[in-house]
Amino acid sequence: AIDLQKGEKVLDIGCGWGRLAKHFVEKYGADVTGVTLSSEQRKYALELNKGNGAKILLQDAMKMHLRDDIPKGGFDKITALEMAEHVGIR
């Protein structure tokens, strides 16, 4: 449990098809940025989250610090649901 509160900024690493981002935005009112390495997943996630405010980026999470469009002050919560299962633990 991440005790998500309305308006908190969430980074969802490996957001996949965007369902967790959708859930966080619509149920909790969170400000969600999802990152994926898959252009197909990003395309689907953008459509799924159309109009709800979630941002879905085609981005290597390890290079987020290079972006100039991340929330000022960073993120309140970071999720990486099932990433270990998909890419392994390094």
Side-chain angles (χ1 to χ4, degrees):
I2 63 171
D3 191 32
L4 190 56
Q5 303 295 315
K6 184 175 182 162
E8 286 188 315
K9 296 172 190 73
V10 179
L11 173 61
D12 184 16
I13 299 171
C15 67
W17 304 103
R19 295 199 183 279
L20 187 61
K22 180 178 177 66
H23 179 70
F24 284 167
V25 169
E26 295 178 359
K27 181 167 182 168
Y28 296 99
D31 176 9
V32 180
T33 300
V35 297
T36 181
L37 295 174
S38 167
S39 57
E40 286 300 311
Q41 286 182 336
R42 179 178 185 261
K43 180 179 174 183
Y44 183 91
L46 285 170
E47 186 62 32
L48 182 69
N49 287 282
K50 193 174 189 174
N52 73 5
K55 294 173 277 307
I56 309 295
L57 309 174
L58 187 61
Q59 174 71 50
D60 180 342
M62 299 308 292
K63 296 181 181 177
M64 286 292 290
H65 66 282
L66 300 174
R67 297 187 69 96
D68 61 2
D69 61 345
I70 60 174
K72 296 197 182 337
F75 295 94
D76 300 303
K77 307 281 170 61
I78 299 175
T79 59
L81 187 64
E82 297 184 0
M83 280 300 294
E85 290 88 342
H86 296 293
V87 300
I89 298 173
R90 297 182 180 147

